[in-house]
Every structure is written in structure tokens, then in C-alpha cells.
Amino acid sequence: MDILIATRNNDKVREISEILDLPDTRFVGLDGFPDCPEAEETGRTFDDNAMIKASQAAYYSGLWSLADDSGLVIDALDGQPGILSARFAGPDYRDNWMKVLELMQQVPAEKRTARFICVLCLVGNNNRAFFTRGEIEGTITAEPRGSNGFGYDPIFLPTGFDRTFAELPPPEKNRISHRAQALKKMRALINGLAAPGSPKT
Ligand code: ITT
């Protein structure tokens, strides 16, 4: 069966496709649906925004649609950038992590705790929504390190590791990340949909 990945962020599409290895499922992107308008992420939580994105994509495409709403929650910044992670300073990844490092210049090492959160929402044409969530704890580095991954990866050091997400090889990040954890829980559900005899769109 086909599932639409309801995002225009190609870094997410790449990670989701790499992590989910499902032979009976074909993942298609929003590029195939140019008329589908940009979802307005007006929610107050990751769950709200994941549901807005998934239900809009399902409505326009008629396909089961999987949305990812994710972000970096930093304790010393009262949870910022949180649901506003994509545009904390603007559309550019570097501007966004630079803003975090600037705001945290005076924050000592022991107070630099943070976590990445990922909420996935899968919506079918019967409009039922299924949610999973993944989180990974870590700290914010003083300087950016590494060039793999995307977004805030150069400044996020996962707990128990001495390399940032951007220094880890992609398969290693994809084994432990917030997105990997949420997808692991979603995988069984998607597999069930693709199984013979299960309801299709
Ligand atoms: P869509 O809304 O189209 O899905 P988006 O990038 O705008 O794409 P979000 O609103 O969910 O998506 O914002 C997620 C942002 O959080 C993303 O742009 C990154 O800045 C950050 N982020 C999420 N997961 C990340 C990861 O694994 N590594 C680094 N940064 C991440």
C-alpha cells in the first residue's frame, strides 16, 4: 500500500524512509500533491501540529498519511524552541542553532540539559488518528560539532555518547533518535495496514 509522508522537509523524508524498512509499503512525498496547501501549524503541542499536518494531507490525497512534528526542548530556555524549532530564528538551520548557542552563552554545563521530541500521527481516510511519540535526552554543546544530519544536530550531544548527532554516522543516529523511537512504535501499525485482508484507503 501507499503511505504519504506529510512533510516538505526532505531531511525528515530521508530519515523516515531509512528507518522504516517495510517491503509491502511504498512511501510517497507531498511533491506528488502540488495542490495540497501548506499546513498551518496553529496547535499548541507537537500532537496538535502532527494531527493538523496528517489530516490535511489525508484529506487532499485520499491516502493514509504520516506526519512528524518534532523539535528541541531546552530546559534553560524554558522549553524553547520547542514546537517553534523549525523557525526559531528563520528558515535556516545554522541561524537557528546559532541563536540557541548565543542565548545559552552564560549557561553552565550542568544546566544545558535538553531533549528532542518527535510525535508521529497517522491518519487514514476514515479520519481516525494514531499517535506515537519518541524522546531522547541530551545536552547542548558550547560549539557546533559535525556535519551529518540536519537542524540542531551539530549542537545536540545525546546522553551516554561523546559525539553530537551530527558527528554520529546516520545509522547510529537513526538507531537511537526521537524519530527512530516513534517510528519503531508506528511500524507495527503500518505493517498491519499493509497485511493481506486489512482495510486499505
Ligand atoms: P514539516 O512541518 O513539513 O514536517 P518542519 O521542518 O517545518 O517540516 P517541524 O515543524 O516539525 O517540521 O519542525 C521540526 C524542526 O525541529 C526541524 O526543522 C529541525 O529544526 C528540528 N528537528 C527535528 N528533528 C530533528 C533532528 O532529528 N535533528 C535536528 N533537528 C531536528
PDB file of all heavy atoms in Angstrom, residues 4-14 16 28-41 53-54 56-58 60-61 66-69 86-87 91 93 150:
ATOM      1  N   LEU A   4       1.461   8.351   2.401  1.00  0.00           N
ATOM      2  CA  LEU A   4       2.025   9.672   2.130  1.00  0.00           C
ATOM      3  C   LEU A   4       2.766  10.175   3.369  1.00  0.00           C
ATOM      4  O   LEU A   4       2.204  10.178   4.473  1.00  0.00           O
ATOM      5  CB  LEU A   4       0.873  10.632   1.777  1.00  0.00           C
ATOM      6  CG  LEU A   4       1.233  12.104   1.575  1.00  0.00           C
ATOM      7  CD1 LEU A   4       2.205  12.292   0.422  1.00  0.00           C
ATOM      8  CD2 LEU A   4      -0.036  12.915   1.327  1.00  0.00           C
ATOM      9  N   ILE A   5       4.018  10.561   3.188  1.00  0.00           N
ATOM     10  CA  ILE A   5       4.746  11.207   4.282  1.00  0.00           C
ATOM     11  C   ILE A   5       4.458  12.703   4.166  1.00  0.00           C
ATOM     12  O   ILE A   5       4.867  13.359   3.206  1.00  0.00           O
ATOM     13  CB  ILE A   5       6.259  10.927   4.229  1.00  0.00           C
ATOM     14  CG1 ILE A   5       6.515   9.413   4.257  1.00  0.00           C
ATOM     15  CG2 ILE A   5       6.959  11.584   5.419  1.00  0.00           C
ATOM     16  CD1 ILE A   5       7.979   9.026   4.293  1.00  0.00           C
ATOM     17  N   ALA A   6       3.706  13.210   5.153  1.00  0.00           N
ATOM     18  CA  ALA A   6       3.119  14.542   5.050  1.00  0.00           C
ATOM     19  C   ALA A   6       4.090  15.627   5.500  1.00  0.00           C
ATOM     20  O   ALA A   6       3.876  16.294   6.506  1.00  0.00           O
ATOM     21  CB  ALA A   6       1.835  14.599   5.878  1.00  0.00           C
ATOM     22  N   THR A   7       5.173  15.792   4.745  1.00  0.00           N
ATOM     23  CA  THR A   7       6.114  16.862   5.049  1.00  0.00           C
ATOM     24  C   THR A   7       6.773  17.336   3.778  1.00  0.00           C
ATOM     25  O   THR A   7       6.878  16.570   2.810  1.00  0.00           O
ATOM     26  CB  THR A   7       7.195  16.397   6.054  1.00  0.00           C
ATOM     27  OG1 THR A   7       8.100  17.486   6.298  1.00  0.00           O
ATOM     28  CG2 THR A   7       7.992  15.211   5.543  1.00  0.00           C
ATOM     29  N   ARG A   8       7.207  18.593   3.777  1.00  0.00           N
ATOM     30  CA  ARG A   8       8.033  19.087   2.674  1.00  0.00           C
ATOM     31  C   ARG A   8       9.492  19.195   3.115  1.00  0.00           C
ATOM     32  O   ARG A   8      10.322  19.734   2.398  1.00  0.00           O
ATOM     33  CB  ARG A   8       7.506  20.434   2.175  1.00  0.00           C
ATOM     34  CG  ARG A   8       6.097  20.325   1.609  1.00  0.00           C
ATOM     35  CD  ARG A   8       5.680  21.545   0.804  1.00  0.00           C
ATOM     36  NE  ARG A   8       4.231  21.531   0.577  1.00  0.00           N
ATOM     37  CZ  ARG A   8       3.633  20.850  -0.386  1.00  0.00           C
ATOM     38  NH1 ARG A   8       4.324  20.145  -1.230  1.00  0.00           N
ATOM     39  NH2 ARG A   8       2.310  20.893  -0.515  1.00  0.00           N
ATOM     40  N   ASN A   9       9.797  18.688   4.313  1.00  0.00           N
ATOM     41  CA  ASN A   9      11.182  18.685   4.804  1.00  0.00           C
ATOM     42  C   ASN A   9      11.854  17.379   4.336  1.00  0.00           C
ATOM     43  O   ASN A   9      11.578  16.305   4.863  1.00  0.00           O
ATOM     44  CB  ASN A   9      11.180  18.792   6.334  1.00  0.00           C
ATOM     45  CG  ASN A   9      12.588  18.807   6.914  1.00  0.00           C
ATOM     46  OD1 ASN A   9      13.510  18.249   6.326  1.00  0.00           O
ATOM     47  ND2 ASN A   9      12.750  19.436   8.065  1.00  0.00           N
ATOM     48  N   ASN A  10      12.720  17.500   3.330  1.00  0.00           N
ATOM     49  CA  ASN A  10      13.320  16.299   2.730  1.00  0.00           C
ATOM     50  C   ASN A  10      14.268  15.580   3.678  1.00  0.00           C
ATOM     51  O   ASN A  10      14.526  14.385   3.509  1.00  0.00           O
ATOM     52  CB  ASN A  10      14.037  16.655   1.427  1.00  0.00           C
ATOM     53  CG  ASN A  10      13.030  17.008   0.355  1.00  0.00           C
ATOM     54  OD1 ASN A  10      11.943  16.430   0.328  1.00  0.00           O
ATOM     55  ND2 ASN A  10      13.359  17.959  -0.499  1.00  0.00           N
ATOM     56  N   ASP A  11      14.804  16.285   4.678  1.00  0.00           N
ATOM     57  CA  ASP A  11      15.661  15.610   5.672  1.00  0.00           C
ATOM     58  C   ASP A  11      14.838  14.619   6.482  1.00  0.00           C
ATOM     59  O   ASP A  11      15.298  13.526   6.804  1.00  0.00           O
ATOM     60  CB  ASP A  11      16.319  16.640   6.597  1.00  0.00           C
ATOM     61  CG  ASP A  11      17.318  17.504   5.846  1.00  0.00           C
ATOM     62  OD1 ASP A  11      18.224  16.936   5.206  1.00  0.00           O
ATOM     63  OD2 ASP A  11      17.188  18.737   5.884  1.00  0.00           O
ATOM     64  N   LYS A  12      13.597  15.021   6.807  1.00  0.00           N
ATOM     65  CA  LYS A  12      12.710  14.093   7.533  1.00  0.00           C
ATOM     66  C   LYS A  12      12.334  12.909   6.647  1.00  0.00           C
ATOM     67  O   LYS A  12      12.324  11.772   7.102  1.00  0.00           O
ATOM     68  CB  LYS A  12      11.423  14.806   7.945  1.00  0.00           C
ATOM     69  CG  LYS A  12      11.523  15.695   9.149  1.00  0.00           C
ATOM     70  CD  LYS A  12      10.107  16.170   9.453  1.00  0.00           C
ATOM     71  CE  LYS A  12      10.055  17.144  10.583  1.00  0.00           C
ATOM     72  NZ  LYS A  12       8.674  17.640  10.788  1.00  0.00           N
ATOM     73  N   VAL A  13      12.004  13.187   5.391  1.00  0.00           N
ATOM     74  CA  VAL A  13      11.609  12.102   4.477  1.00  0.00           C
ATOM     75  C   VAL A  13      12.738  11.084   4.387  1.00  0.00           C
ATOM     76  O   VAL A  13      12.511   9.871   4.469  1.00  0.00           O
ATOM     77  CB  VAL A  13      11.276  12.655   3.067  1.00  0.00           C
ATOM     78  CG1 VAL A  13      11.002  11.510   2.094  1.00  0.00           C
ATOM     79  CG2 VAL A  13      10.091  13.586   3.125  1.00  0.00           C
ATOM     80  N   ARG A  14      13.975  11.587   4.260  1.00  0.00           N
ATOM     81  CA  ARG A  14      15.134  10.693   4.147  1.00  0.00           C
ATOM     82  C   ARG A  14      15.264   9.838   5.401  1.00  0.00           C
ATOM     83  O   ARG A  14      15.396   8.613   5.326  1.00  0.00           O
ATOM     84  CB  ARG A  14      16.410  11.544   3.933  1.00  0.00           C
ATOM     85  CG  ARG A  14      17.703  10.762   3.867  1.00  0.00           C
ATOM     86  CD  ARG A  14      18.896  11.664   3.577  1.00  0.00           C
ATOM     87  NE  ARG A  14      18.887  12.935   4.306  1.00  0.00           N
ATOM     88  CZ  ARG A  14      19.222  13.114   5.576  1.00  0.00           C
ATOM     89  NH1 ARG A  14      19.587  12.078   6.299  1.00  0.00           N
ATOM     90  NH2 ARG A  14      19.177  14.311   6.140  1.00  0.00           N
ATOM     91  N   ILE A  16      12.990   9.119   7.727  1.00  0.00           N
ATOM     92  CA  ILE A  16      11.842   8.214   7.916  1.00  0.00           C
ATOM     93  C   ILE A  16      11.963   7.009   6.976  1.00  0.00           C
ATOM     94  O   ILE A  16      11.776   5.868   7.387  1.00  0.00           O
ATOM     95  CB  ILE A  16      10.510   8.974   7.698  1.00  0.00           C
ATOM     96  CG1 ILE A  16      10.295   9.980   8.838  1.00  0.00           C
ATOM     97  CG2 ILE A  16       9.331   8.007   7.600  1.00  0.00           C
ATOM     98  CD1 ILE A  16       9.148  10.956   8.627  1.00  0.00           C
ATOM     99  N   VAL A  28       5.333   7.782  -0.362  1.00  0.00           N
ATOM    100  CA  VAL A  28       5.360   8.853  -1.358  1.00  0.00           C
ATOM    101  C   VAL A  28       5.419  10.182  -0.613  1.00  0.00           C
ATOM    102  O   VAL A  28       5.032  10.270   0.553  1.00  0.00           O
ATOM    103  CB  VAL A  28       4.118   8.804  -2.285  1.00  0.00           C
ATOM    104  CG1 VAL A  28       4.128   7.537  -3.115  1.00  0.00           C
ATOM    105  CG2 VAL A  28       2.825   8.872  -1.492  1.00  0.00           C
ATOM    106  N   GLY A  29       5.938  11.209  -1.294  1.00  0.00           N
ATOM    107  CA  GLY A  29       6.091  12.513  -0.645  1.00  0.00           C
ATOM    108  C   GLY A  29       5.017  13.487  -1.077  1.00  0.00           C
ATOM    109  O   GLY A  29       4.253  13.219  -2.002  1.00  0.00           O
ATOM    110  N   LEU A  30       4.968  14.639  -0.427  1.00  0.00           N
ATOM    111  CA  LEU A  30       3.981  15.666  -0.763  1.00  0.00           C
ATOM    112  C   LEU A  30       4.238  16.272  -2.145  1.00  0.00           C
ATOM    113  O   LEU A  30       3.355  16.921  -2.699  1.00  0.00           O
ATOM    114  CB  LEU A  30       4.002  16.779   0.291  1.00  0.00           C
ATOM    115  CG  LEU A  30       3.049  16.640   1.476  1.00  0.00           C
ATOM    116  CD1 LEU A  30       3.212  17.801   2.436  1.00  0.00           C
ATOM    117  CD2 LEU A  30       1.598  16.543   1.006  1.00  0.00           C
ATOM    118  N   ASP A  31       5.444  16.044  -2.694  1.00  0.00           N
ATOM    119  CA  ASP A  31       5.766  16.587  -4.022  1.00  0.00           C
ATOM    120  C   ASP A  31       4.764  16.120  -5.077  1.00  0.00           C
ATOM    121  O   ASP A  31       4.499  16.834  -6.046  1.00  0.00           O
ATOM    122  CB  ASP A  31       7.170  16.130  -4.459  1.00  0.00           C
ATOM    123  CG  ASP A  31       8.239  16.807  -3.628  1.00  0.00           C
ATOM    124  OD1 ASP A  31       7.885  17.741  -2.873  1.00  0.00           O
ATOM    125  OD2 ASP A  31       9.412  16.397  -3.724  1.00  0.00           O
ATOM    126  N   GLY A  32       4.215  14.928  -4.877  1.00  0.00           N
ATOM    127  CA  GLY A  32       3.244  14.393  -5.834  1.00  0.00           C
ATOM    128  C   GLY A  32       1.865  15.061  -5.701  1.00  0.00           C
ATOM    129  O   GLY A  32       0.961  14.753  -6.475  1.00  0.00           O
ATOM    130  N   PHE A  33       1.714  15.936  -4.708  1.00  0.00           N
ATOM    131  CA  PHE A  33       0.415  16.597  -4.477  1.00  0.00           C
ATOM    132  C   PHE A  33       0.608  18.109  -4.381  1.00  0.00           C
ATOM    133  O   PHE A  33       0.473  18.712  -3.305  1.00  0.00           O
ATOM    134  CB  PHE A  33      -0.247  16.049  -3.199  1.00  0.00           C
ATOM    135  CG  PHE A  33      -0.534  14.587  -3.300  1.00  0.00           C
ATOM    136  CD1 PHE A  33       0.403  13.657  -2.887  1.00  0.00           C
ATOM    137  CD2 PHE A  33      -1.735  14.136  -3.848  1.00  0.00           C
ATOM    138  CE1 PHE A  33       0.158  12.302  -3.014  1.00  0.00           C
ATOM    139  CE2 PHE A  33      -1.980  12.781  -3.976  1.00  0.00           C
ATOM    140  CZ  PHE A  33      -1.036  11.860  -3.565  1.00  0.00           C
ATOM    141  N   PRO A  34       0.949  18.739  -5.537  1.00  0.00           N
ATOM    142  CA  PRO A  34       1.272  20.173  -5.508  1.00  0.00           C
ATOM    143  C   PRO A  34       0.121  21.046  -5.037  1.00  0.00           C
ATOM    144  O   PRO A  34       0.339  22.163  -4.560  1.00  0.00           O
ATOM    145  CB  PRO A  34       1.665  20.486  -6.965  1.00  0.00           C
ATOM    146  CG  PRO A  34       1.192  19.338  -7.778  1.00  0.00           C
ATOM    147  CD  PRO A  34       1.069  18.156  -6.880  1.00  0.00           C
ATOM    148  N   ASP A  35      -1.130  20.532  -5.169  1.00  0.00           N
ATOM    149  CA  ASP A  35      -2.277  21.355  -4.749  1.00  0.00           C
ATOM    150  C   ASP A  35      -2.515  21.322  -3.244  1.00  0.00           C
ATOM    151  O   ASP A  35      -3.298  22.113  -2.720  1.00  0.00           O
ATOM    152  CB  ASP A  35      -3.560  20.879  -5.441  1.00  0.00           C
ATOM    153  CG  ASP A  35      -3.491  21.121  -6.933  1.00  0.00           C
ATOM    154  OD1 ASP A  35      -2.654  21.960  -7.332  1.00  0.00           O
ATOM    155  OD2 ASP A  35      -4.244  20.466  -7.671  1.00  0.00           O
ATOM    156  N   CYS A  36      -1.869  20.393  -2.570  1.00  0.00           N
ATOM    157  CA  CYS A  36      -2.072  20.300  -1.114  1.00  0.00           C
ATOM    158  C   CYS A  36      -1.441  21.536  -0.459  1.00  0.00           C
ATOM    159  O   CYS A  36      -0.236  21.748  -0.558  1.00  0.00           O
ATOM    160  CB  CYS A  36      -1.432  19.015  -0.581  1.00  0.00           C
ATOM    161  SG  CYS A  36      -1.684  18.803   1.186  1.00  0.00           S
ATOM    162  N   PRO A  37      -2.248  22.394   0.171  1.00  0.00           N
ATOM    163  CA  PRO A  37      -1.692  23.628   0.722  1.00  0.00           C
ATOM    164  C   PRO A  37      -0.760  23.359   1.903  1.00  0.00           C
ATOM    165  O   PRO A  37      -0.820  22.293   2.523  1.00  0.00           O
ATOM    166  CB  PRO A  37      -2.923  24.408   1.183  1.00  0.00           C
ATOM    167  CG  PRO A  37      -4.047  23.460   1.191  1.00  0.00           C
ATOM    168  CD  PRO A  37      -3.680  22.255   0.405  1.00  0.00           C
ATOM    169  N   GLU A  38       0.106  24.328   2.188  1.00  0.00           N
ATOM    170  CA  GLU A  38       0.985  24.261   3.355  1.00  0.00           C
ATOM    171  C   GLU A  38       0.111  24.204   4.604  1.00  0.00           C
ATOM    172  O   GLU A  38      -0.797  25.029   4.772  1.00  0.00           O
ATOM    173  CB  GLU A  38       1.837  25.538   3.374  1.00  0.00           C
ATOM    174  CG  GLU A  38       3.046  25.504   4.261  1.00  0.00           C
ATOM    175  CD  GLU A  38       4.148  24.600   3.722  1.00  0.00           C
ATOM    176  OE1 GLU A  38       4.262  24.422   2.494  1.00  0.00           O
ATOM    177  OE2 GLU A  38       4.872  24.046   4.564  1.00  0.00           O
ATOM    178  N   ALA A  39       0.335  23.213   5.465  1.00  0.00           N
ATOM    179  CA  ALA A  39      -0.484  23.117   6.682  1.00  0.00           C
ATOM    180  C   ALA A  39      -0.146  24.275   7.626  1.00  0.00           C
ATOM    181  O   ALA A  39       1.014  24.643   7.766  1.00  0.00           O
ATOM    182  CB  ALA A  39      -0.224  21.788   7.371  1.00  0.00           C
ATOM    183  N   GLU A  40      -1.166  24.840   8.248  1.00  0.00           N
ATOM    184  CA  GLU A  40      -0.921  25.912   9.222  1.00  0.00           C
ATOM    185  C   GLU A  40      -0.753  25.273  10.591  1.00  0.00           C
ATOM    186  O   GLU A  40      -1.707  24.728  11.153  1.00  0.00           O
ATOM    187  CB  GLU A  40      -2.088  26.896   9.228  1.00  0.00           C
ATOM    188  CG  GLU A  40      -2.081  27.776   8.011  1.00  0.00           C
ATOM    189  CD  GLU A  40      -3.157  28.839   8.068  1.00  0.00           C
ATOM    190  OE1 GLU A  40      -3.427  29.368   9.172  1.00  0.00           O
ATOM    191  OE2 GLU A  40      -3.731  29.112   7.012  1.00  0.00           O
ATOM    192  N   GLU A  41       0.459  25.351  11.111  1.00  0.00           N
ATOM    193  CA  GLU A  41       0.761  24.687  12.389  1.00  0.00           C
ATOM    194  C   GLU A  41       0.357  25.607  13.540  1.00  0.00           C
ATOM    195  O   GLU A  41       1.178  26.225  14.187  1.00  0.00           O
ATOM    196  CB  GLU A  41       2.243  24.298  12.428  1.00  0.00           C
ATOM    197  CG  GLU A  41       2.582  23.291  11.346  1.00  0.00           C
ATOM    198  CD  GLU A  41       4.008  22.788  11.401  1.00  0.00           C
ATOM    199  OE1 GLU A  41       4.543  22.601  12.513  1.00  0.00           O
ATOM    200  OE2 GLU A  41       4.587  22.601  10.318  1.00  0.00           O
ATOM    201  N   LYS A  53      -1.166  18.328  10.309  1.00  0.00           N
ATOM    202  CA  LYS A  53      -0.442  18.018   9.066  1.00  0.00           C
ATOM    203  C   LYS A  53      -0.941  16.704   8.455  1.00  0.00           C
ATOM    204  O   LYS A  53      -1.141  16.605   7.246  1.00  0.00           O
ATOM    205  CB  LYS A  53       1.069  17.945   9.335  1.00  0.00           C
ATOM    206  CG  LYS A  53       1.686  19.314   9.647  1.00  0.00           C
ATOM    207  CD  LYS A  53       3.194  19.283   9.685  1.00  0.00           C
ATOM    208  CE  LYS A  53       3.756  18.914  11.017  1.00  0.00           C
ATOM    209  NZ  LYS A  53       5.216  19.171  11.132  1.00  0.00           N
ATOM    210  N   ALA A  54      -1.121  15.681   9.302  1.00  0.00           N
ATOM    211  CA  ALA A  54      -1.520  14.368   8.768  1.00  0.00           C
ATOM    212  C   ALA A  54      -2.939  14.408   8.221  1.00  0.00           C
ATOM    213  O   ALA A  54      -3.219  13.852   7.154  1.00  0.00           O
ATOM    214  CB  ALA A  54      -1.393  13.301   9.853  1.00  0.00           C
ATOM    215  N   GLN A  56      -4.699  16.967   7.090  1.00  0.00           N
ATOM    216  CA  GLN A  56      -4.798  17.753   5.859  1.00  0.00           C
ATOM    217  C   GLN A  56      -4.268  16.960   4.661  1.00  0.00           C
ATOM    218  O   GLN A  56      -4.866  16.936   3.586  1.00  0.00           O
ATOM    219  CB  GLN A  56      -4.025  19.064   5.992  1.00  0.00           C
ATOM    220  CG  GLN A  56      -4.072  19.870   4.716  1.00  0.00           C
ATOM    221  CD  GLN A  56      -3.658  21.307   4.923  1.00  0.00           C
ATOM    222  OE1 GLN A  56      -4.189  22.015   5.779  1.00  0.00           O
ATOM    223  NE2 GLN A  56      -2.695  21.754   4.159  1.00  0.00           N
ATOM    224  N   ALA A  57      -3.147  16.285   4.859  1.00  0.00           N
ATOM    225  CA  ALA A  57      -2.552  15.507   3.762  1.00  0.00           C
ATOM    226  C   ALA A  57      -3.469  14.350   3.370  1.00  0.00           C
ATOM    227  O   ALA A  57      -3.651  14.056   2.183  1.00  0.00           O
ATOM    228  CB  ALA A  57      -1.175  14.993   4.181  1.00  0.00           C
ATOM    229  N   ALA A  58      -4.089  13.691   4.365  1.00  0.00           N
ATOM    230  CA  ALA A  58      -5.001  12.569   4.072  1.00  0.00           C
ATOM    231  C   ALA A  58      -6.224  13.079   3.299  1.00  0.00           C
ATOM    232  O   ALA A  58      -6.684  12.449   2.345  1.00  0.00           O
ATOM    233  CB  ALA A  58      -5.423  11.897   5.372  1.00  0.00           C
ATOM    234  N   TYR A  60      -6.465  15.707   1.298  1.00  0.00           N
ATOM    235  CA  TYR A  60      -6.139  16.103  -0.081  1.00  0.00           C
ATOM    236  C   TYR A  60      -5.702  14.938  -0.948  1.00  0.00           C
ATOM    237  O   TYR A  60      -5.915  14.945  -2.154  1.00  0.00           O
ATOM    238  CB  TYR A  60      -5.059  17.204  -0.102  1.00  0.00           C
ATOM    239  CG  TYR A  60      -5.686  18.558   0.035  1.00  0.00           C
ATOM    240  CD1 TYR A  60      -5.918  19.100   1.290  1.00  0.00           C
ATOM    241  CD2 TYR A  60      -6.112  19.282  -1.085  1.00  0.00           C
ATOM    242  CE1 TYR A  60      -6.551  20.322   1.437  1.00  0.00           C
ATOM    243  CE2 TYR A  60      -6.743  20.499  -0.952  1.00  0.00           C
ATOM    244  CZ  TYR A  60      -6.957  21.015   0.308  1.00  0.00           C
ATOM    245  OH  TYR A  60      -7.586  22.216   0.445  1.00  0.00           O
ATOM    246  N   SER A  61      -5.085  13.931  -0.362  1.00  0.00           N
ATOM    247  CA  SER A  61      -4.505  12.853  -1.177  1.00  0.00           C
ATOM    248  C   SER A  61      -5.411  11.621  -1.247  1.00  0.00           C
ATOM    249  O   SER A  61      -5.301  10.828  -2.176  1.00  0.00           O
ATOM    250  CB  SER A  61      -3.157  12.438  -0.594  1.00  0.00           C
ATOM    251  OG  SER A  61      -3.347  11.818   0.668  1.00  0.00           O
ATOM    252  N   LEU A  66       1.218  10.068   7.011  1.00  0.00           N
ATOM    253  CA  LEU A  66       2.024  10.047   8.237  1.00  0.00           C
ATOM    254  C   LEU A  66       2.730  11.393   8.382  1.00  0.00           C
ATOM    255  O   LEU A  66       3.487  11.798   7.500  1.00  0.00           O
ATOM    256  CB  LEU A  66       3.072   8.935   8.136  1.00  0.00           C
ATOM    257  CG  LEU A  66       4.040   8.786   9.316  1.00  0.00           C
ATOM    258  CD1 LEU A  66       3.311   8.279  10.563  1.00  0.00           C
ATOM    259  CD2 LEU A  66       5.181   7.832   8.954  1.00  0.00           C
ATOM    260  N   ALA A  67       2.446  12.096   9.494  1.00  0.00           N
ATOM    261  CA  ALA A  67       3.116  13.377   9.738  1.00  0.00           C
ATOM    262  C   ALA A  67       4.030  13.264  10.948  1.00  0.00           C
ATOM    263  O   ALA A  67       3.770  12.485  11.874  1.00  0.00           O
ATOM    264  CB  ALA A  67       2.084  14.478   9.967  1.00  0.00           C
ATOM    265  N   ASP A  68       5.089  14.053  10.911  1.00  0.00           N
ATOM    266  CA  ASP A  68       6.080  14.117  12.003  1.00  0.00           C
ATOM    267  C   ASP A  68       6.102  15.545  12.495  1.00  0.00           C
ATOM    268  O   ASP A  68       6.315  16.464  11.704  1.00  0.00           O
ATOM    269  CB  ASP A  68       7.436  13.706  11.404  1.00  0.00           C
ATOM    270  CG  ASP A  68       8.676  14.057  12.238  1.00  0.00           C
ATOM    271  OD1 ASP A  68       8.748  15.185  12.776  1.00  0.00           O
ATOM    272  OD2 ASP A  68       9.589  13.229  12.298  1.00  0.00           O
ATOM    273  N   ASP A  69       5.808  15.771  13.772  1.00  0.00           N
ATOM    274  CA  ASP A  69       6.072  17.089  14.344  1.00  0.00           C
ATOM    275  C   ASP A  69       7.107  16.898  15.433  1.00  0.00           C
ATOM    276  O   ASP A  69       6.959  16.047  16.318  1.00  0.00           O
ATOM    277  CB  ASP A  69       4.812  17.763  14.885  1.00  0.00           C
ATOM    278  CG  ASP A  69       5.028  19.274  14.956  1.00  0.00           C
ATOM    279  OD1 ASP A  69       5.197  19.896  13.885  1.00  0.00           O
ATOM    280  OD2 ASP A  69       5.089  19.826  16.069  1.00  0.00           O
ATOM    281  N   ALA A  86      11.473  24.793  13.944  1.00  0.00           N
ATOM    282  CA  ALA A  86      11.772  24.942  12.511  1.00  0.00           C
ATOM    283  C   ALA A  86      12.106  26.379  12.147  1.00  0.00           C
ATOM    284  O   ALA A  86      12.823  26.618  11.178  1.00  0.00           O
ATOM    285  CB  ALA A  86      10.601  24.438  11.669  1.00  0.00           C
ATOM    286  N   ARG A  87      11.568  27.342  12.900  1.00  0.00           N
ATOM    287  CA  ARG A  87      11.755  28.758  12.523  1.00  0.00           C
ATOM    288  C   ARG A  87      12.126  29.613  13.726  1.00  0.00           C
ATOM    289  O   ARG A  87      11.645  30.731  13.874  1.00  0.00           O
ATOM    290  CB  ARG A  87      10.471  29.303  11.878  1.00  0.00           C
ATOM    291  CG  ARG A  87      10.186  28.588  10.598  1.00  0.00           C
ATOM    292  CD  ARG A  87       9.110  29.205   9.756  1.00  0.00           C
ATOM    293  NE  ARG A  87       9.185  28.609   8.432  1.00  0.00           N
ATOM    294  CZ  ARG A  87       9.730  29.203   7.385  1.00  0.00           C
ATOM    295  NH1 ARG A  87      10.228  30.400   7.476  1.00  0.00           N
ATOM    296  NH2 ARG A  87       9.766  28.586   6.226  1.00  0.00           N
ATOM    297  N   PRO A  91      14.290  30.380   8.531  1.00  0.00           N
ATOM    298  CA  PRO A  91      14.219  29.066   7.883  1.00  0.00           C
ATOM    299  C   PRO A  91      15.547  28.307   7.838  1.00  0.00           C
ATOM    300  O   PRO A  91      15.566  27.118   7.522  1.00  0.00           O
ATOM    301  CB  PRO A  91      13.763  29.418   6.457  1.00  0.00           C
ATOM    302  CG  PRO A  91      14.154  30.838   6.263  1.00  0.00           C
ATOM    303  CD  PRO A  91      14.176  31.495   7.596  1.00  0.00           C
ATOM    304  N   TYR A  93      18.853  26.350   9.060  1.00  0.00           N
ATOM    305  CA  TYR A  93      19.257  25.536  10.216  1.00  0.00           C
ATOM    306  C   TYR A  93      20.346  26.224  11.036  1.00  0.00           C
ATOM    307  O   TYR A  93      20.310  26.232  12.263  1.00  0.00           O
ATOM    308  CB  TYR A  93      19.801  24.179   9.750  1.00  0.00           C
ATOM    309  CG  TYR A  93      18.788  23.215   9.175  1.00  0.00           C
ATOM    310  CD1 TYR A  93      19.164  22.336   8.160  1.00  0.00           C
ATOM    311  CD2 TYR A  93      17.491  23.142   9.653  1.00  0.00           C
ATOM    312  CE1 TYR A  93      18.252  21.416   7.635  1.00  0.00           C
ATOM    313  CE2 TYR A  93      16.582  22.234   9.132  1.00  0.00           C
ATOM    314  CZ  TYR A  93      16.973  21.370   8.122  1.00  0.00           C
ATOM    315  OH  TYR A  93      16.080  20.462   7.617  1.00  0.00           O
ATOM    316  N   PHE A 150      20.783  17.017  10.252  1.00  0.00           N
ATOM    317  CA  PHE A 150      20.173  18.289   9.857  1.00  0.00           C
ATOM    318  C   PHE A 150      19.786  19.061  11.123  1.00  0.00           C
ATOM    319  O   PHE A 150      20.026  18.608  12.249  1.00  0.00           O
ATOM    320  CB  PHE A 150      18.960  18.050   8.938  1.00  0.00           C
ATOM    321  CG  PHE A 150      17.763  17.434   9.625  1.00  0.00           C
ATOM    322  CD1 PHE A 150      16.683  18.224  10.030  1.00  0.00           C
ATOM    323  CD2 PHE A 150      17.707  16.073   9.863  1.00  0.00           C
ATOM    324  CE1 PHE A 150      15.567  17.667  10.641  1.00  0.00           C
ATOM    325  CE2 PHE A 150      16.596  15.497  10.492  1.00  0.00           C
ATOM    326  CZ  PHE A 150      15.531  16.297  10.877  1.00  0.00           C
TER     327      PHE A 150
END
